[in-house]
Structure formats: structure tokens, C-alpha cells
Amino acid sequence: MTVEEFEEFYALSARRLIGQLCLVTGDVHEAQDVVHEAFARAWAHRSALLHDGAPEAWVRITATRVAISRWHRAKRATQAWARLAGQRPAVADEPDPGGLLALSAILRQLPPRQRLVMALHYVCDLSVAQIAEEAGMSTGTVKTHLARGRAAVAARMGGTSRAEDHGA
């Protein structure tokens, strides 16, 4: 991939990827950071991207993995500080949604893995198998997170999930 091809690829896909990762991370600034980190990594692997045939998916997978890695580091750091202080970790205030849609605010309330699966399925339009591959989960785990995510979103929107409607 030439410099010009990479610049064109970036121009065509960066905004869309930031929007997708914003729903995954729940924060526009974090989404920008992880997408830019993924593009930096993509630049280093640009010859492989051309042969892969799906460079946008490669960047999305990389950005998602960077976000997950950051969640794990932040959780471990919070736990370490709490142990050091001899107390339970304080819960940070939710960031201001900054004009994001109501659905984005609801997704931000979901656990990270549910939010990831819901965003990849409903925003990125990926199949269960594709999500499983990108997120490193089994298809059963993806289906479980989708079902739980749907139920949580329905409850927060004042509706009921299909599982509740059918007595499951």
C-alpha cells in the first residue's frame, strides 16, 4: 500500500471507525485515541493490509483490542490503588455524552463486553461468527452477550426483551 493509498484509506474510513468505536468505548476521545493507535499500527503493517483484503476490519479489530487492553489496565490500576489505600475503589462519574444519541448513553451503561458485541453487531453490521473472530470469543459467548445486551437495552428503554415476552 503506497502512502497515497494509505492516506485515502484513512480519509475514507477514520470517521466511520471512530463512530463505531465511540459506541464500543462509550467515549469519543477514547475512540479517537484507539482508532489513531490502530492506524499507526496499520501503517507499520500496510503491506500486509493490501493482501488481507479487509483493511478496515483489520483496523477495527486492532482498535477494539487496544480498547479492551486499556480497560483491563485501568481495572487493574484501580484495584491496585484500592488495595494500597485499603479501601474499595471509587466509581468514576460517567462522562458527559456530549450530544450523542440516547442509544449511545444506554450502551455506555452496559458491561464492556456486552457493549462491544452490541456495537459490532448493530453498528458495524457484523455476524455472530465475525464478532466471535474479531473479539476472540466463542459464538456461544457472543450470542449470550447479545441476548443480555438486548435485554438490558430493552429494560433501560422501558420495554421488554423477547426472552421475557416468551417466559425464558
PDB file of all heavy atoms in Angstrom, residues 35-60:
ATOM      1  N   VAL A  35      -8.556   4.405  17.754  1.00  0.00           N
ATOM      2  CA  VAL A  35      -8.551   4.322  16.290  1.00  0.00           C
ATOM      3  C   VAL A  35      -7.236   4.870  15.737  1.00  0.00           C
ATOM      4  O   VAL A  35      -6.636   4.272  14.840  1.00  0.00           O
ATOM      5  CB  VAL A  35      -9.773   5.040  15.679  1.00  0.00           C
ATOM      6  CG1 VAL A  35      -9.624   5.203  14.166  1.00  0.00           C
ATOM      7  CG2 VAL A  35     -11.051   4.268  15.999  1.00  0.00           C
ATOM      8  N   HIS A  36      -6.765   5.971  16.290  1.00  0.00           N
ATOM      9  CA  HIS A  36      -5.490   6.515  15.809  1.00  0.00           C
ATOM     10  C   HIS A  36      -4.329   5.572  16.120  1.00  0.00           C
ATOM     11  O   HIS A  36      -3.416   5.409  15.310  1.00  0.00           O
ATOM     12  CB  HIS A  36      -5.257   7.912  16.376  1.00  0.00           C
ATOM     13  CG  HIS A  36      -6.183   8.926  15.783  1.00  0.00           C
ATOM     14  ND1 HIS A  36      -6.595  10.043  16.451  1.00  0.00           N
ATOM     15  CD2 HIS A  36      -6.811   8.987  14.591  1.00  0.00           C
ATOM     16  CE1 HIS A  36      -7.423  10.739  15.697  1.00  0.00           C
ATOM     17  NE2 HIS A  36      -7.573  10.105  14.560  1.00  0.00           N
ATOM     18  N   GLU A  37      -4.379   4.934  17.295  1.00  0.00           N
ATOM     19  CA  GLU A  37      -3.373   3.929  17.635  1.00  0.00           C
ATOM     20  C   GLU A  37      -3.430   2.774  16.634  1.00  0.00           C
ATOM     21  O   GLU A  37      -2.403   2.279  16.168  1.00  0.00           O
ATOM     22  CB  GLU A  37      -3.620   3.404  19.055  1.00  0.00           C
ATOM     23  CG  GLU A  37      -2.793   2.200  19.436  1.00  0.00           C
ATOM     24  CD  GLU A  37      -1.338   2.506  19.732  1.00  0.00           C
ATOM     25  OE1 GLU A  37      -1.021   3.687  19.993  1.00  0.00           O
ATOM     26  OE2 GLU A  37      -0.518   1.576  19.686  1.00  0.00           O
ATOM     27  N   ALA A  38      -4.628   2.353  16.285  1.00  0.00           N
ATOM     28  CA  ALA A  38      -4.783   1.260  15.319  1.00  0.00           C
ATOM     29  C   ALA A  38      -4.269   1.654  13.936  1.00  0.00           C
ATOM     30  O   ALA A  38      -3.632   0.844  13.257  1.00  0.00           O
ATOM     31  CB  ALA A  38      -6.244   0.829  15.250  1.00  0.00           C
ATOM     32  N   PHE A  39      -4.518   2.892  13.526  1.00  0.00           N
ATOM     33  CA  PHE A  39      -3.991   3.342  12.237  1.00  0.00           C
ATOM     34  C   PHE A  39      -2.470   3.432  12.258  1.00  0.00           C
ATOM     35  O   PHE A  39      -1.814   3.139  11.256  1.00  0.00           O
ATOM     36  CB  PHE A  39      -4.603   4.691  11.822  1.00  0.00           C
ATOM     37  CG  PHE A  39      -5.855   4.545  11.016  1.00  0.00           C
ATOM     38  CD1 PHE A  39      -7.081   4.867  11.558  1.00  0.00           C
ATOM     39  CD2 PHE A  39      -5.821   4.087   9.705  1.00  0.00           C
ATOM     40  CE1 PHE A  39      -8.247   4.729  10.825  1.00  0.00           C
ATOM     41  CE2 PHE A  39      -6.976   3.943   8.950  1.00  0.00           C
ATOM     42  CZ  PHE A  39      -8.194   4.267   9.513  1.00  0.00           C
ATOM     43  N   ALA A  40      -1.901   3.813  13.379  1.00  0.00           N
ATOM     44  CA  ALA A  40      -0.437   3.835  13.494  1.00  0.00           C
ATOM     45  C   ALA A  40       0.122   2.428  13.329  1.00  0.00           C
ATOM     46  O   ALA A  40       1.141   2.223  12.648  1.00  0.00           O
ATOM     47  CB  ALA A  40      -0.017   4.426  14.843  1.00  0.00           C
ATOM     48  N   ARG A  41      -0.540   1.454  13.934  1.00  0.00           N
ATOM     49  CA  ARG A  41      -0.118   0.058  13.777  1.00  0.00           C
ATOM     50  C   ARG A  41      -0.344  -0.418  12.347  1.00  0.00           C
ATOM     51  O   ARG A  41       0.451  -1.189  11.808  1.00  0.00           O
ATOM     52  CB  ARG A  41      -0.845  -0.834  14.770  1.00  0.00           C
ATOM     53  CG  ARG A  41      -0.455  -0.555  16.208  1.00  0.00           C
ATOM     54  CD  ARG A  41      -1.200  -1.446  17.166  1.00  0.00           C
ATOM     55  NE  ARG A  41      -0.924  -1.088  18.550  1.00  0.00           N
ATOM     56  CZ  ARG A  41      -1.348  -1.774  19.588  1.00  0.00           C
ATOM     57  NH1 ARG A  41      -2.064  -2.873  19.423  1.00  0.00           N
ATOM     58  NH2 ARG A  41      -1.055  -1.371  20.808  1.00  0.00           N
ATOM     59  N   ALA A  42      -1.444   0.036  11.744  1.00  0.00           N
ATOM     60  CA  ALA A  42      -1.736  -0.345  10.362  1.00  0.00           C
ATOM     61  C   ALA A  42      -0.662   0.183   9.412  1.00  0.00           C
ATOM     62  O   ALA A  42      -0.279  -0.500   8.458  1.00  0.00           O
ATOM     63  CB  ALA A  42      -3.115   0.177   9.947  1.00  0.00           C
ATOM     64  N   TRP A  43      -0.176   1.380   9.686  1.00  0.00           N
ATOM     65  CA  TRP A  43       0.877   1.953   8.848  1.00  0.00           C
ATOM     66  C   TRP A  43       2.108   1.040   8.849  1.00  0.00           C
ATOM     67  O   TRP A  43       2.708   0.798   7.806  1.00  0.00           O
ATOM     68  CB  TRP A  43       1.243   3.348   9.327  1.00  0.00           C
ATOM     69  CG  TRP A  43       2.419   3.932   8.606  1.00  0.00           C
ATOM     70  CD1 TRP A  43       3.685   4.081   9.079  1.00  0.00           C
ATOM     71  CD2 TRP A  43       2.435   4.424   7.267  1.00  0.00           C
ATOM     72  NE1 TRP A  43       4.495   4.625   8.122  1.00  0.00           N
ATOM     73  CE2 TRP A  43       3.760   4.851   6.986  1.00  0.00           C
ATOM     74  CE3 TRP A  43       1.483   4.534   6.266  1.00  0.00           C
ATOM     75  CZ2 TRP A  43       4.127   5.383   5.757  1.00  0.00           C
ATOM     76  CZ3 TRP A  43       1.856   5.071   5.041  1.00  0.00           C
ATOM     77  CH2 TRP A  43       3.168   5.486   4.804  1.00  0.00           C
ATOM     78  N   ALA A  44       2.425   0.521  10.009  1.00  0.00           N
ATOM     79  CA  ALA A  44       3.585  -0.373  10.112  1.00  0.00           C
ATOM     80  C   ALA A  44       3.348  -1.699   9.396  1.00  0.00           C
ATOM     81  O   ALA A  44       4.310  -2.372   9.020  1.00  0.00           O
ATOM     82  CB  ALA A  44       3.912  -0.621  11.582  1.00  0.00           C
ATOM     83  N   HIS A  45       2.081  -2.073   9.194  1.00  0.00           N
ATOM     84  CA  HIS A  45       1.739  -3.343   8.537  1.00  0.00           C
ATOM     85  C   HIS A  45       1.031  -3.116   7.202  1.00  0.00           C
ATOM     86  O   HIS A  45       0.294  -3.971   6.734  1.00  0.00           O
ATOM     87  CB  HIS A  45       0.822  -4.170   9.445  1.00  0.00           C
ATOM     88  CG  HIS A  45       1.461  -4.596  10.719  1.00  0.00           C
ATOM     89  ND1 HIS A  45       1.370  -3.853  11.868  1.00  0.00           N
ATOM     90  CD2 HIS A  45       2.218  -5.674  11.005  1.00  0.00           C
ATOM     91  CE1 HIS A  45       2.036  -4.468  12.827  1.00  0.00           C
ATOM     92  NE2 HIS A  45       2.567  -5.567  12.334  1.00  0.00           N
ATOM     93  N   ARG A  46       1.255  -1.975   6.579  1.00  0.00           N
ATOM     94  CA  ARG A  46       0.471  -1.621   5.395  1.00  0.00           C
ATOM     95  C   ARG A  46       0.653  -2.581   4.224  1.00  0.00           C
ATOM     96  O   ARG A  46      -0.267  -2.784   3.448  1.00  0.00           O
ATOM     97  CB  ARG A  46       0.741  -0.181   4.970  1.00  0.00           C
ATOM     98  CG  ARG A  46       2.134   0.117   4.532  1.00  0.00           C
ATOM     99  CD  ARG A  46       2.364   1.623   4.361  1.00  0.00           C
ATOM    100  NE  ARG A  46       3.712   1.913   3.974  1.00  0.00           N
ATOM    101  CZ  ARG A  46       4.737   1.983   4.797  1.00  0.00           C
ATOM    102  NH1 ARG A  46       4.545   1.781   6.090  1.00  0.00           N
ATOM    103  NH2 ARG A  46       5.939   2.253   4.353  1.00  0.00           N
ATOM    104  N   SER A  47       1.803  -3.227   4.108  1.00  0.00           N
ATOM    105  CA  SER A  47       1.969  -4.181   3.008  1.00  0.00           C
ATOM    106  C   SER A  47       1.067  -5.396   3.224  1.00  0.00           C
ATOM    107  O   SER A  47       0.495  -5.930   2.277  1.00  0.00           O
ATOM    108  CB  SER A  47       3.423  -4.616   2.885  1.00  0.00           C
ATOM    109  OG  SER A  47       3.867  -5.242   4.073  1.00  0.00           O
ATOM    110  N   ALA A  48       0.896  -5.813   4.467  1.00  0.00           N
ATOM    111  CA  ALA A  48       0.017  -6.942   4.769  1.00  0.00           C
ATOM    112  C   ALA A  48      -1.449  -6.556   4.591  1.00  0.00           C
ATOM    113  O   ALA A  48      -2.274  -7.394   4.222  1.00  0.00           O
ATOM    114  CB  ALA A  48       0.257  -7.434   6.185  1.00  0.00           C
ATOM    115  N   LEU A  49      -1.791  -5.300   4.847  1.00  0.00           N
ATOM    116  CA  LEU A  49      -3.177  -4.846   4.720  1.00  0.00           C
ATOM    117  C   LEU A  49      -3.678  -4.984   3.296  1.00  0.00           C
ATOM    118  O   LEU A  49      -4.832  -5.341   3.065  1.00  0.00           O
ATOM    119  CB  LEU A  49      -3.320  -3.388   5.156  1.00  0.00           C
ATOM    120  CG  LEU A  49      -3.184  -3.085   6.636  1.00  0.00           C
ATOM    121  CD1 LEU A  49      -3.323  -1.591   6.870  1.00  0.00           C
ATOM    122  CD2 LEU A  49      -4.208  -3.836   7.435  1.00  0.00           C
ATOM    123  N   LEU A  50      -2.826  -4.712   2.353  1.00  0.00           N
ATOM    124  CA  LEU A  50      -3.206  -4.789   0.950  1.00  0.00           C
ATOM    125  C   LEU A  50      -3.541  -6.218   0.568  1.00  0.00           C
ATOM    126  O   LEU A  50      -4.512  -6.477  -0.138  1.00  0.00           O
ATOM    127  CB  LEU A  50      -2.071  -4.247   0.070  1.00  0.00           C
ATOM    128  CG  LEU A  50      -2.404  -3.994  -1.386  1.00  0.00           C
ATOM    129  CD1 LEU A  50      -3.560  -3.009  -1.504  1.00  0.00           C
ATOM    130  CD2 LEU A  50      -1.199  -3.445  -2.102  1.00  0.00           C
ATOM    131  N   HIS A  51      -2.782  -7.171   1.079  1.00  0.00           N
ATOM    132  CA  HIS A  51      -3.007  -8.575   0.752  1.00  0.00           C
ATOM    133  C   HIS A  51      -4.170  -9.160   1.544  1.00  0.00           C
ATOM    134  O   HIS A  51      -4.790 -10.122   1.122  1.00  0.00           O
ATOM    135  CB  HIS A  51      -1.737  -9.393   1.010  1.00  0.00           C
ATOM    136  CG  HIS A  51      -0.570  -8.930   0.191  1.00  0.00           C
ATOM    137  ND1 HIS A  51      -0.540  -9.026  -1.178  1.00  0.00           N
ATOM    138  CD2 HIS A  51       0.590  -8.336   0.545  1.00  0.00           C
ATOM    139  CE1 HIS A  51       0.589  -8.519  -1.638  1.00  0.00           C
ATOM    140  NE2 HIS A  51       1.302  -8.086  -0.605  1.00  0.00           N
ATOM    141  N   ASP A  52      -4.456  -8.581   2.700  1.00  0.00           N
ATOM    142  CA  ASP A  52      -5.538  -9.070   3.557  1.00  0.00           C
ATOM    143  C   ASP A  52      -6.895  -8.885   2.895  1.00  0.00           C
ATOM    144  O   ASP A  52      -7.775  -9.714   3.036  1.00  0.00           O
ATOM    145  CB  ASP A  52      -5.479  -8.347   4.908  1.00  0.00           C
ATOM    146  CG  ASP A  52      -6.557  -8.809   5.858  1.00  0.00           C
ATOM    147  OD1 ASP A  52      -6.839 -10.016   5.881  1.00  0.00           O
ATOM    148  OD2 ASP A  52      -7.121  -7.964   6.573  1.00  0.00           O
ATOM    149  N   GLY A  53      -7.089  -7.788   2.198  1.00  0.00           N
ATOM    150  CA  GLY A  53      -8.339  -7.526   1.507  1.00  0.00           C
ATOM    151  C   GLY A  53      -9.414  -6.871   2.354  1.00  0.00           C
ATOM    152  O   GLY A  53     -10.458  -6.510   1.845  1.00  0.00           O
ATOM    153  N   ALA A  54      -9.177  -6.731   3.643  1.00  0.00           N
ATOM    154  CA  ALA A  54     -10.152  -6.103   4.536  1.00  0.00           C
ATOM    155  C   ALA A  54      -9.420  -5.182   5.510  1.00  0.00           C
ATOM    156  O   ALA A  54      -9.433  -5.407   6.718  1.00  0.00           O
ATOM    157  CB  ALA A  54     -10.951  -7.161   5.274  1.00  0.00           C
ATOM    158  N   PRO A  55      -8.791  -4.120   4.996  1.00  0.00           N
ATOM    159  CA  PRO A  55      -8.003  -3.266   5.893  1.00  0.00           C
ATOM    160  C   PRO A  55      -8.839  -2.559   6.949  1.00  0.00           C
ATOM    161  O   PRO A  55      -8.376  -2.357   8.069  1.00  0.00           O
ATOM    162  CB  PRO A  55      -7.338  -2.267   4.947  1.00  0.00           C
ATOM    163  CG  PRO A  55      -8.152  -2.292   3.700  1.00  0.00           C
ATOM    164  CD  PRO A  55      -8.737  -3.665   3.609  1.00  0.00           C
ATOM    165  N   GLU A  56     -10.074  -2.208   6.642  1.00  0.00           N
ATOM    166  CA  GLU A  56     -10.906  -1.528   7.644  1.00  0.00           C
ATOM    167  C   GLU A  56     -11.226  -2.472   8.797  1.00  0.00           C
ATOM    168  O   GLU A  56     -11.201  -2.074   9.958  1.00  0.00           O
ATOM    169  CB  GLU A  56     -12.192  -0.992   7.019  1.00  0.00           C
ATOM    170  CG  GLU A  56     -12.970  -0.115   7.981  1.00  0.00           C
ATOM    171  CD  GLU A  56     -14.100   0.645   7.309  1.00  0.00           C
ATOM    172  OE1 GLU A  56     -13.938   1.105   6.162  1.00  0.00           O
ATOM    173  OE2 GLU A  56     -15.149   0.788   7.958  1.00  0.00           O
ATOM    174  N   ALA A  57     -11.502  -3.716   8.485  1.00  0.00           N
ATOM    175  CA  ALA A  57     -11.756  -4.703   9.545  1.00  0.00           C
ATOM    176  C   ALA A  57     -10.505  -4.888  10.397  1.00  0.00           C
ATOM    177  O   ALA A  57     -10.598  -5.006  11.625  1.00  0.00           O
ATOM    178  CB  ALA A  57     -12.193  -6.033   8.945  1.00  0.00           C
ATOM    179  N   TRP A  58      -9.336  -4.897   9.769  1.00  0.00           N
ATOM    180  CA  TRP A  58      -8.081  -5.045  10.500  1.00  0.00           C
ATOM    181  C   TRP A  58      -7.913  -3.891  11.488  1.00  0.00           C
ATOM    182  O   TRP A  58      -7.575  -4.107  12.655  1.00  0.00           O
ATOM    183  CB  TRP A  58      -6.902  -5.094   9.532  1.00  0.00           C
ATOM    184  CG  TRP A  58      -5.604  -5.487  10.166  1.00  0.00           C
ATOM    185  CD1 TRP A  58      -5.051  -6.732  10.213  1.00  0.00           C
ATOM    186  CD2 TRP A  58      -4.675  -4.628  10.855  1.00  0.00           C
ATOM    187  NE1 TRP A  58      -3.848  -6.706  10.878  1.00  0.00           N
ATOM    188  CE2 TRP A  58      -3.599  -5.429  11.291  1.00  0.00           C
ATOM    189  CE3 TRP A  58      -4.664  -3.267  11.152  1.00  0.00           C
ATOM    190  CZ2 TRP A  58      -2.520  -4.903  12.004  1.00  0.00           C
ATOM    191  CZ3 TRP A  58      -3.593  -2.747  11.865  1.00  0.00           C
ATOM    192  CH2 TRP A  58      -2.532  -3.562  12.289  1.00  0.00           C
ATOM    193  N   VAL A  59      -8.175  -2.675  11.039  1.00  0.00           N
ATOM    194  CA  VAL A  59      -8.043  -1.502  11.916  1.00  0.00           C
ATOM    195  C   VAL A  59      -9.089  -1.556  13.026  1.00  0.00           C
ATOM    196  O   VAL A  59      -8.785  -1.267  14.185  1.00  0.00           O
ATOM    197  CB  VAL A  59      -8.140  -0.185  11.114  1.00  0.00           C
ATOM    198  CG1 VAL A  59      -8.198   1.025  12.034  1.00  0.00           C
ATOM    199  CG2 VAL A  59      -6.960  -0.061  10.151  1.00  0.00           C
ATOM    200  N   ARG A  60     -10.332  -1.951  12.695  1.00  0.00           N
ATOM    201  CA  ARG A  60     -11.385  -2.041  13.717  1.00  0.00           C
ATOM    202  C   ARG A  60     -11.024  -3.086  14.771  1.00  0.00           C
ATOM    203  O   ARG A  60     -11.158  -2.848  15.970  1.00  0.00           O
ATOM    204  CB  ARG A  60     -12.739  -2.364  13.101  1.00  0.00           C
ATOM    205  CG  ARG A  60     -13.860  -2.366  14.123  1.00  0.00           C
ATOM    206  CD  ARG A  60     -15.251  -2.630  13.553  1.00  0.00           C
ATOM    207  NE  ARG A  60     -15.281  -3.767  12.662  1.00  0.00           N
ATOM    208  CZ  ARG A  60     -15.419  -3.676  11.332  1.00  0.00           C
ATOM    209  NH1 ARG A  60     -15.544  -2.502  10.751  1.00  0.00           N
ATOM    210  NH2 ARG A  60     -15.433  -4.754  10.583  1.00  0.00           N
TER     211      ARG A  60
END
